[in-house]
Coordinates of all heavy atoms in Angstrom, one line a residue:
M1 N 22.6 177.1 -111.8 CA 21.7 177.8 -111.0 C 20.5 176.8 -110.6 O 20.0 176.1 -111.4 CB 21.1 179.0 -111.7 CG 20.3 179.9 -110.9 SD 20.3 181.5 -111.6 CE 18.6 181.8 -111.9
S2 N 20.1 176.8 -109.3 CA 19.1 175.9 -108.9 C 17.7 176.6 -108.9 O 17.6 177.8 -108.8 CB 19.3 175.4 -107.5 OG 19.3 176.5 -106.6
D3 N 16.7 175.8 -109.1 CA 15.3 176.3 -109.1 C 14.9 176.5 -107.7 O 15.2 175.7 -106.8 CB 14.4 175.3 -109.8 CG 14.6 175.2 -111.3 OD1 15.1 176.1 -111.9 OD2 14.3 174.1 -111.8
R4 N 14.2 177.6 -107.4 CA 13.8 177.9 -106.1 C 12.3 177.4 -106.0 O 11.5 177.6 -106.8 CB 13.7 179.4 -105.9 CG 13.2 179.8 -104.5 CD 13.3 181.3 -104.3 NE 12.6 181.5 -103.0 CZ 13.0 182.5 -102.2 NH1 14.0 183.3 -102.6 NH2 12.4 182.7 -101.1
V5 N 12.1 176.6 -104.9 CA 10.8 176.1 -104.6 C 10.4 176.6 -103.2 O 11.2 176.6 -102.3 CB 10.8 174.5 -104.5 CG1 9.5 174.0 -104.2 CG2 11.3 174.0 -105.9
Q6 N 9.2 177.2 -103.2 CA 8.8 177.9 -101.9 C 7.4 177.4 -101.6 O 6.5 177.2 -102.4 CB 8.8 179.4 -102.1 CG 8.5 180.1 -100.9 CD 8.7 181.6 -101.1 OE1 9.5 182.0 -101.9 NE2 8.0 182.4 -100.3
L7 N 7.2 177.1 -100.3 CA 5.9 176.7 -99.8 C 5.5 177.7 -98.7 O 6.2 177.9 -97.7 CB 6.0 175.3 -99.1 CG 4.8 174.8 -98.4 CD1 3.6 174.6 -99.3 CD2 5.1 173.5 -97.7
N8 N 4.4 178.4 -98.9 CA 3.9 179.3 -97.9 C 2.8 178.7 -97.1 O 1.8 178.2 -97.7 CB 3.5 180.6 -98.6 CG 4.6 181.3 -99.3 OD1 5.7 181.5 -98.7 ND2 4.4 181.8 -100.5
I9 N 2.9 178.7 -95.8 CA 1.9 178.1 -95.0 C 1.4 179.2 -94.1 O 2.1 179.9 -93.3 CB 2.5 177.0 -94.1 CG1 3.0 175.9 -95.0 CG2 1.4 176.4 -93.2 CD1 3.7 174.8 -94.3
R10 N 0.1 179.4 -94.1 CA -0.5 180.5 -93.3 C -0.9 179.8 -91.9 O -1.6 178.8 -91.9 CB -1.8 181.0 -93.9 CG -1.4 181.8 -95.2 CD -2.6 182.6 -95.6 NE -3.1 183.4 -94.5 CZ -3.9 184.5 -94.7 NH1 -4.2 184.8 -95.9 NH2 -4.3 185.2 -93.7
L11 N -0.4 180.4 -90.9 CA -0.7 179.9 -89.5 C -1.5 180.9 -88.7 O -1.6 180.7 -87.5 CB 0.6 179.5 -88.8 CG 1.4 178.4 -89.4 CD1 2.7 178.2 -88.8 CD2 0.6 177.1 -89.3
D12 N -2.0 181.9 -89.3 CA -2.8 182.9 -88.6 C -4.0 182.3 -87.9 O -4.5 182.8 -86.9 CB -3.1 184.1 -89.4 CG -3.8 183.8 -90.8 OD1 -3.5 182.7 -91.3 OD2 -4.6 184.6 -91.2
K13 N -4.5 181.2 -88.4 CA -5.7 180.6 -87.8 C -5.2 179.5 -86.9 O -6.1 178.8 -86.3 CB -6.6 180.0 -88.9 CG -7.3 181.1 -89.7 CD -8.2 180.5 -90.7 CE -8.8 181.6 -91.6 NZ -9.7 181.0 -92.6
H14 N -3.9 179.3 -86.7 CA -3.3 178.2 -85.9 C -2.2 178.8 -85.0 O -1.1 178.3 -85.1 CB -2.8 177.1 -86.8 CG -3.8 176.6 -87.7 ND1 -4.8 175.7 -87.4 CD2 -4.0 176.8 -89.1 CE1 -5.5 175.4 -88.5 NE2 -5.0 176.1 -89.5
P15 N -2.6 179.8 -84.2 CA -1.5 180.4 -83.4 C -0.8 179.4 -82.4 O 0.4 179.6 -82.1 CB -2.2 181.5 -82.6 CG -3.7 181.1 -82.6 CD -3.9 180.3 -83.9
K16 N -1.5 178.4 -81.9 CA -0.9 177.5 -81.0 C 0.2 176.7 -81.7 O 1.3 176.4 -81.1 CB -1.9 176.5 -80.4 CG -2.9 177.2 -79.4 CD -3.8 176.2 -78.9 CE -4.8 176.8 -77.9 NZ -5.8 175.9 -77.4
I17 N -0.1 176.3 -83.0 CA 0.9 175.5 -83.7 C 2.2 176.4 -84.0 O 3.3 176.0 -83.8 CB 0.4 175.0 -85.1 CG1 -0.7 174.0 -84.8 CG2 1.4 174.5 -86.0 CD1 -1.5 173.5 -86.0
Y18 N 1.9 177.7 -84.3 CA 3.0 178.6 -84.6 C 3.9 178.8 -83.3 O 5.1 178.7 -83.4 CB 2.5 179.9 -85.1 CG 3.6 180.9 -85.3 CD1 4.6 180.7 -86.4 CD2 3.8 182.0 -84.5 CE1 5.6 181.6 -86.6 CE2 4.8 182.9 -84.8 CZ 5.7 182.7 -85.8 OH 6.7 183.6 -86.0
E19 N 3.3 178.9 -82.2 CA 4.0 179.1 -80.9 C 4.8 177.9 -80.6 O 5.9 178.0 -80.1 CB 3.0 179.5 -79.8 CG 2.5 180.9 -79.9 CD 3.6 182.0 -79.9 OE1 4.6 181.9 -79.2 OE2 3.5 182.9 -80.8
L20 N 4.2 176.7 -80.8 CA 5.0 175.5 -80.5 C 6.2 175.3 -81.4 O 7.2 174.9 -81.0 CB 4.0 174.3 -80.7 CG 3.1 173.9 -79.5 CD1 2.1 172.8 -79.9 CD2 3.9 173.5 -78.3
I21 N 6.0 175.7 -82.7 CA 7.1 175.6 -83.6 C 8.2 176.6 -83.2 O 9.4 176.2 -83.2 CB 6.6 175.9 -85.1 CG1 5.8 174.8 -85.6 CG2 7.8 176.2 -86.0 CD1 5.1 175.1 -86.9
K22 N 7.8 177.8 -82.8 CA 8.8 178.8 -82.3 C 9.6 178.3 -81.1 O 10.8 178.4 -81.1 CB 8.1 180.1 -82.0 CG 7.9 181.0 -83.1 CD 7.4 182.4 -82.8 CE 7.2 182.8 -81.4 NZ 6.6 184.1 -81.2
Q23 N 8.8 177.7 -80.2 CA 9.5 177.2 -78.9 C 10.4 176.1 -79.2 O 11.5 176.0 -78.7 CB 8.4 176.8 -77.9 CG 7.6 177.9 -77.4 CD 6.4 177.4 -76.6 OE1 6.2 176.3 -76.3 NE2 5.5 178.4 -76.2
R24 N 10.0 175.1 -80.0 CA 10.8 173.9 -80.3 C 12.0 174.3 -81.1 O 13.1 173.8 -80.9 CB 10.0 172.9 -80.9 CG 8.8 172.4 -80.1 CD 9.0 171.0 -79.6 NE 7.9 170.6 -78.7 CZ 6.9 169.8 -79.0 NH1 6.9 169.2 -80.2 NH2 6.0 169.5 -78.2
A25 N 11.8 175.2 -82.1 CA 13.0 175.6 -82.9 C 14.0 176.3 -82.0 O 15.2 176.0 -82.1 CB 12.5 176.6 -84.0
K26 N 13.6 177.2 -81.1 CA 14.5 177.8 -80.2 C 15.2 176.8 -79.3 O 16.4 176.9 -79.1 CB 13.7 178.8 -79.3 CG 14.6 179.7 -78.4 CD 13.8 180.7 -77.6 CE 14.7 181.5 -76.7 NZ 14.0 182.5 -76.0
K27 N 14.5 175.9 -78.8 CA 15.0 174.8 -77.9 C 16.1 174.0 -78.6 O 17.1 173.6 -78.0 CB 13.9 173.9 -77.4 CG 14.4 172.9 -76.5 CD 13.2 172.0 -76.0 CE 13.6 170.9 -75.0 NZ 12.5 170.1 -74.6
E28 N 15.9 173.8 -79.9 CA 16.9 173.0 -80.7 C 18.0 173.9 -81.3 O 18.8 173.4 -82.0 CB 16.2 172.2 -81.8 CG 15.3 171.1 -81.3 CD 14.9 170.1 -82.3 OE1 15.3 170.2 -83.5 OE2 14.0 169.3 -82.0
G29 N 17.9 175.2 -81.1 CA 18.9 176.1 -81.7 C 18.8 176.2 -83.2 O 19.7 176.3 -83.9
S30 N 17.5 176.1 -83.7 CA 17.2 176.1 -85.1 C 16.4 177.3 -85.5 O 15.7 177.9 -84.6 CB 16.5 174.8 -85.5 OG 16.2 174.7 -86.8
S31 N 16.3 177.6 -86.8 CA 15.4 178.6 -87.2 C 14.0 178.0 -87.3 O 13.9 176.7 -87.4 CB 15.8 179.2 -88.6 OG 15.6 178.2 -89.6
I32 N 13.0 178.8 -87.3 CA 11.6 178.3 -87.5 C 11.5 177.6 -88.8 O 10.9 176.5 -88.9 CB 10.6 179.5 -87.4 CG1 10.6 180.0 -86.0 CG2 9.2 179.0 -87.8 CD1 9.8 181.3 -85.8
N33 N 12.0 178.1 -89.9 CA 11.9 177.5 -91.2 C 12.6 176.1 -91.2 O 12.0 175.1 -91.7 CB 12.6 178.4 -92.2 CG 12.3 178.0 -93.6 OD1 11.2 177.9 -94.1 ND2 13.4 177.7 -94.4
D34 N 13.8 176.0 -90.7 CA 14.6 174.8 -90.7 C 13.9 173.7 -89.8 O 13.8 172.6 -90.2 CB 16.0 174.9 -90.2 CG 16.9 175.6 -91.2 OD1 16.5 175.7 -92.4 OD2 18.0 176.1 -90.8
Y35 N 13.3 174.2 -88.7 CA 12.6 173.2 -87.8 C 11.4 172.7 -88.5 O 11.1 171.5 -88.5 CB 12.2 173.9 -86.5 CG 11.5 173.0 -85.6 CD1 12.2 172.1 -84.8 CD2 10.1 173.0 -85.5 CE1 11.5 171.2 -84.0 CE2 9.4 172.1 -84.7 CZ 10.1 171.2 -84.0 OH 9.4 170.3 -83.2
A36 N 10.6 173.6 -89.2 CA 9.4 173.1 -89.8 C 9.7 172.2 -91.0 O 9.0 171.1 -91.2 CB 8.6 174.3 -90.4
I37 N 10.8 172.4 -91.7 CA 11.2 171.5 -92.8 C 11.6 170.2 -92.3 O 11.2 169.1 -92.8 CB 12.3 172.2 -93.6 CG1 11.8 173.3 -94.5 CG2 13.0 171.1 -94.5 CD1 12.9 174.2 -95.1
N38 N 12.3 170.2 -91.1 CA 12.7 168.9 -90.5 C 11.5 168.1 -90.1 O 11.5 166.9 -90.2 CB 13.7 169.1 -89.4 CG 15.1 169.6 -89.9 OD1 15.4 169.3 -91.1 ND2 15.8 170.2 -89.1
V39 N 10.5 168.8 -89.4 CA 9.3 168.1 -89.0 C 8.6 167.5 -90.2 O 8.2 166.3 -90.1 CB 8.4 169.0 -88.2 CG1 7.1 168.4 -87.9 CG2 9.1 169.4 -86.9
L40 N 8.4 168.2 -91.2 CA 7.7 167.7 -92.4 C 8.5 166.5 -93.0 O 7.9 165.5 -93.3 CB 7.6 168.8 -93.5 CG 6.6 169.9 -93.2 CD1 6.8 171.1 -94.2 CD2 5.2 169.4 -93.2
G41 N 9.8 166.7 -93.1 CA 10.6 165.6 -93.6 C 10.5 164.3 -92.8 O 10.3 163.2 -93.3
R42 N 10.6 164.4 -91.5 CA 10.5 163.2 -90.6 C 9.1 162.6 -90.7 O 8.9 161.4 -90.8 CB 10.7 163.6 -89.1 CG 12.2 163.7 -88.8 CD 12.4 163.8 -87.3 NE 11.8 164.9 -86.7 CZ 12.3 166.1 -86.5 NH1 13.6 166.4 -86.8 NH2 11.7 167.1 -85.9
E43 N 8.0 163.5 -90.8 CA 6.7 162.9 -90.9 C 6.5 162.2 -92.3 O 5.7 161.3 -92.3 CB 5.7 164.1 -90.8 CG 4.2 163.7 -90.9 CD 3.8 162.8 -89.7 OE1 4.4 162.9 -88.6 OE2 2.9 161.9 -89.9
L44 N 7.2 162.6 -93.3 CA 7.2 161.9 -94.6 C 8.1 160.7 -94.6 O 8.2 160.1 -95.7 CB 7.5 162.9 -95.7 CG 6.5 164.0 -95.9 CD1 7.0 165.1 -96.8 CD2 5.2 163.5 -96.4
G45 N 8.8 160.4 -93.6 CA 9.6 159.2 -93.5 C 11.0 159.4 -94.0 O 11.8 158.5 -94.2
L46 N 11.4 160.7 -94.1 CA 12.8 161.0 -94.5 C 13.7 161.0 -93.3 O 13.3 161.4 -92.2 CB 12.9 162.3 -95.2 CG 12.0 162.5 -96.5 CD1 12.1 163.9 -97.0 CD2 12.5 161.5 -97.6
E47 N 14.9 160.6 -93.5 CA 15.9 160.6 -92.4 C 16.5 162.0 -92.4 O 17.1 162.5 -93.3 CB 17.0 159.6 -92.6 CG 17.9 159.4 -91.4 CD 18.8 158.2 -91.6 OE1 18.3 157.1 -92.0 OE2 19.9 158.3 -91.2
I48 N 16.3 162.7 -91.3 CA 16.7 164.1 -91.1 C 17.8 164.2 -90.1 O 17.7 163.6 -89.0 CB 15.5 165.0 -90.7 CG1 14.4 164.9 -91.7 CG2 15.9 166.5 -90.6 CD1 14.6 165.4 -93.1
D49 N 18.9 164.9 -90.4 CA 20.0 165.1 -89.5 C 19.5 166.1 -88.4 O 18.8 167.1 -88.7 CB 21.2 165.8 -90.1 CG 21.9 164.8 -91.1 OD1 21.8 163.6 -90.9 OD2 22.5 165.3 -92.0
Q50 N 19.8 165.8 -87.2 CA 19.5 166.7 -86.1 C 20.4 167.9 -86.0 O 21.5 167.8 -86.5 CB 19.6 166.0 -84.7 CG 18.5 164.9 -84.5 CD 18.7 164.3 -83.2 OE1 19.8 164.0 -82.7 NE2 17.6 164.0 -82.5
T51 N 19.9 169.0 -85.5 CA 20.8 170.1 -85.3 C 21.8 169.8 -84.2 O 21.6 168.9 -83.4 CB 19.9 171.4 -84.8 OG1 19.4 171.1 -83.5 CG2 18.9 171.7 -85.8
P52 N 22.9 170.5 -84.1 CA 23.9 170.3 -83.1 C 23.4 170.4 -81.7 O 23.7 169.6 -80.8 CB 25.0 171.3 -83.4 CG 24.9 171.6 -84.8 CD 23.4 171.5 -85.1
V53 N 22.5 171.3 -81.5 CA 21.9 171.5 -80.1 C 21.0 170.3 -79.8 O 21.1 169.8 -78.7 CB 21.1 172.8 -80.0 CG1 20.3 172.9 -78.7 CG2 22.0 174.0 -80.2
A54 N 20.2 169.8 -80.7 CA 19.4 168.7 -80.5 C 20.2 167.4 -80.2 O 19.9 166.6 -79.4 CB 18.4 168.4 -81.7
Q55 N 21.3 167.3 -81.0 CA 22.2 166.1 -80.7 C 22.8 166.2 -79.3 O 22.9 165.2 -78.6 CB 23.3 166.1 -81.7 CG 22.9 165.8 -83.1 CD 24.0 165.9 -84.2 OE1 25.0 166.5 -83.9 NE2 23.8 165.4 -85.3
A56 N 23.2 167.4 -78.9 CA 23.8 167.6 -77.6 C 22.7 167.3 -76.5 O 23.1 166.6 -75.5 CB 24.3 169.0 -77.4
L57 N 21.5 167.7 -76.7 CA 20.4 167.5 -75.7 C 20.2 166.0 -75.6 O 19.9 165.5 -74.5 CB 19.2 168.2 -76.0 CG 19.2 169.7 -75.9 CD1 18.0 170.4 -76.5 CD2 19.4 170.2 -74.5
E58 N 20.2 165.3 -76.7 CA 20.0 163.8 -76.7 C 21.1 163.1 -75.9 O 20.9 162.2 -75.1 CB 19.9 163.3 -78.1 CG 19.4 161.9 -78.3 CD 19.1 161.6 -79.7 OE1 18.1 162.0 -80.2 OE2 20.0 160.9 -80.3
R59 N 22.4 163.6 -76.2 CA 23.5 163.0 -75.5 C 23.4 163.2 -74.0 O 23.7 162.4 -73.1 CB 24.8 163.5 -76.0 CG 25.2 162.9 -77.4 CD 26.6 163.2 -77.8 NE 26.9 164.6 -77.8 CZ 26.9 165.3 -79.0 NH1 26.5 164.8 -80.1 NH2 27.2 166.6 -78.9
I60 N 23.0 164.4 -73.6 CA 22.9 164.8 -72.2 C 21.8 163.9 -71.5 O 22.0 163.4 -70.4 CB 22.5 166.3 -72.0 CG1 23.7 167.1 -72.4 CG2 22.1 166.6 -70.6 CD1 23.4 168.6 -72.5
A61 N 20.7 163.7 -72.2 CA 19.6 162.9 -71.6 C 20.1 161.4 -71.4 O 19.9 160.8 -70.4 CB 18.4 162.9 -72.5
S62 N 20.9 160.9 -72.4 CA 21.4 159.6 -72.3 C 22.4 159.5 -71.1 O 22.4 158.5 -70.4 CB 22.1 159.2 -73.6 OG 22.8 158.0 -73.5
L63 N 23.3 160.5 -71.0 CA 24.2 160.5 -69.9 C 23.6 160.6 -68.6 O 24.0 159.9 -67.6 CB 25.2 161.7 -70.1 CG 26.3 161.5 -71.2 CD1 27.0 162.8 -71.4 CD2 27.2 160.4 -70.9
E64 N 22.5 161.3 -68.5 CA 21.7 161.4 -67.2 C 21.2 160.1 -66.8 O 21.2 159.7 -65.6 CB 20.6 162.5 -67.3 CG 21.1 163.9 -67.3 CD 20.0 164.9 -67.6 OE1 18.9 164.5 -68.1 OE2 20.2 166.1 -67.2
Q65 N 20.6 159.4 -67.8 CA 20.1 158.0 -67.5 C 21.2 157.1 -67.0 O 21.0 156.3 -66.1 CB 19.4 157.4 -68.8 CG 18.1 158.1 -69.1 CD 17.5 157.6 -70.4 OE1 18.2 156.8 -71.1 NE2 16.4 158.0 -70.8
R66 N 22.3 157.1 -67.7 CA 23.5 156.3 -67.3 C 23.9 156.6 -65.9 O 24.3 155.7 -65.1 CB 24.6 156.4 -68.3 CG 24.3 155.8 -69.6 CD 25.3 156.0 -70.7 NE 26.6 155.5 -70.3 CZ 27.7 155.9 -71.0 NH1 27.6 156.7 -72.1 NH2 28.9 155.4 -70.6
M67 N 24.0 157.9 -65.6 CA 24.4 158.3 -64.2 C 23.4 157.8 -63.2 O 23.8 157.4 -62.1 CB 24.5 159.9 -64.1 CG 25.7 160.4 -64.9 SD 27.3 159.9 -64.3 CE 27.2 160.6 -62.6
E68 N 22.1 157.9 -63.4 CA 21.1 157.4 -62.5 C 21.3 155.9 -62.2 O 21.2 155.5 -61.1 CB 19.7 157.7 -63.0 CG 19.3 159.2 -63.0 CD 18.0 159.5 -63.6 OE1 17.3 158.6 -64.1 OE2 17.6 160.7 -63.7
K69 N 21.5 155.2 -63.3 CA 21.7 153.7 -63.1 C 23.0 153.5 -62.3 O 23.0 152.6 -61.4 CB 21.8 153.0 -64.5 CG 20.5 152.9 -65.2 CD 20.7 152.2 -66.6 CE 19.4 152.2 -67.3 NZ 19.5 151.5 -68.6
L70 N 24.0 154.2 -62.6 CA 25.3 154.0 -61.9 C 25.1 154.4 -60.4 O 25.5 153.6 -59.5 CB 26.4 154.9 -62.5 CG 27.8 154.8 -61.8 CD1 28.3 153.4 -61.8 CD2 28.7 155.8 -62.5
E71 N 24.4 155.5 -60.1 CA 24.2 155.9 -58.7 C 23.3 154.8 -58.0 O 23.6 154.5 -56.8 CB 23.5 157.2 -58.7 CG 24.3 158.4 -59.0 CD 23.6 159.7 -59.1 OE1 22.3 159.7 -59.2 OE2 24.2 160.8 -59.2
S72 N 22.4 154.3 -58.7 CA 21.5 153.2 -58.1 C 22.3 152.0 -57.8 O 22.2 151.4 -56.7 CB 20.3 152.9 -59.0 OG 19.5 153.9 -59.1
S73 N 23.2 151.6 -58.7 CA 24.0 150.4 -58.5 C 25.0 150.6 -57.4 O 25.3 149.6 -56.6 CB 24.6 149.9 -59.8 OG 25.7 150.8 -60.2
L74 N 25.5 151.8 -57.3 CA 26.5 152.0 -56.2 C 25.8 152.1 -54.8 O 26.4 151.8 -53.8 CB 27.2 153.3 -56.5 CG 28.2 153.3 -57.6 CD1 28.8 154.7 -57.9 CD2 29.3 152.3 -57.4
S75 N 24.6 152.5 -54.8 CA 23.9 152.6 -53.5 C 23.2 151.3 -53.2 O 22.6 151.2 -52.1 CB 22.9 153.8 -53.5 OG 21.9 153.5 -54.4
G76 N 23.2 150.3 -54.1 CA 22.6 149.0 -53.8 C 21.1 149.0 -54.2 O 20.4 148.0 -53.9
E77 N 20.6 150.1 -54.7 CA 19.2 150.1 -55.1 C 19.0 149.4 -56.5 O 19.9 149.3 -57.3 CB 18.7 151.6 -55.2 CG 18.8 152.4 -54.0 CD 18.4 153.8 -54.2 OE1 17.9 154.2 -55.2 OE2 18.6 154.6 -53.3
T78 N 17.8 149.0 -56.7 CA 17.4 148.4 -58.0 C 17.0 149.6 -58.9 O 16.1 150.4 -58.5 CB 16.2 147.5 -57.9 OG1 16.6 146.5 -56.9 CG2 15.9 146.8 -59.2
P79 N 17.6 149.7 -60.1 CA 17.3 150.8 -61.0 C 15.8 150.7 -61.5 O 15.3 149.7 -61.6 CB 18.2 150.7 -62.2 CG 19.0 149.5 -62.0 CD 18.6 148.9 -60.7
A80 N 15.2 151.9 -61.6 CA 13.8 152.0 -62.0 C 13.6 151.7 -63.5 O 14.4 151.8 -64.3 CB 13.2 153.3 -61.7

């Protein structure tokens, strides 16, 4: 049996932070709790696995950049 460790953070005086956490967690397809733990871990220098949605968004952004470069080279333009 594992020991349970719990950290309670009050955000009632920081509604903007809470809203940002909610928005980013939703965007990454993560729970608020998992997102907050990942942010804390990254800030402490730990290597944190991305959620599948975050990984997919990163791949899409990379593909978009590659497509833009390809389109520019095909049209004879210099890529930005």
Side-chain angles (χ1 to χ4, degrees):
M1 188 157 121
S2 66
D3 293 331
R4 179 179 174 147
V5 178
Q6 185 171 334
L7 171 66
N8 294 317
I9 300 173
R10 293 192 56 160
L11 293 174
D12 50 328
K13 293 182 181 179
H14 306 280
K16 288 181 183 179
I17 293 173
Y18 179 67
E19 287 303 317
L20 279 172
I21 290 171
K22 276 187 1 183
Q23 291 170 9
R24 299 251 175 106
K26 183 177 180 179
K27 183 177 179 182
E28 289 192 12
S30 179
S31 69
I32 292 171
N33 190 61
D34 286 344
Y35 179 80
I37 289 170
N38 288 338
V39 168
L40 288 170
R42 281 192 300 267
E43 185 62 29
L44 293 170
L46 301 175
E47 193 169 317
I48 303 295
D49 292 333
Q50 290 181 320
T51 64
V53 172
Q55 290 173 346
L57 292 173
E58 193 172 280
R59 285 193 301 267
I60 289 168
S62 175
L63 288 170
E64 286 175 337
Q65 290 175 353
R66 290 172 58 192
M67 290 296 296
E68 287 173 4
K69 287 180 183 178
L70 179 60
E71 287 173 348
S72 293
S73 68
L74 291 174
S75 68
E77 297 175 12
T78 305

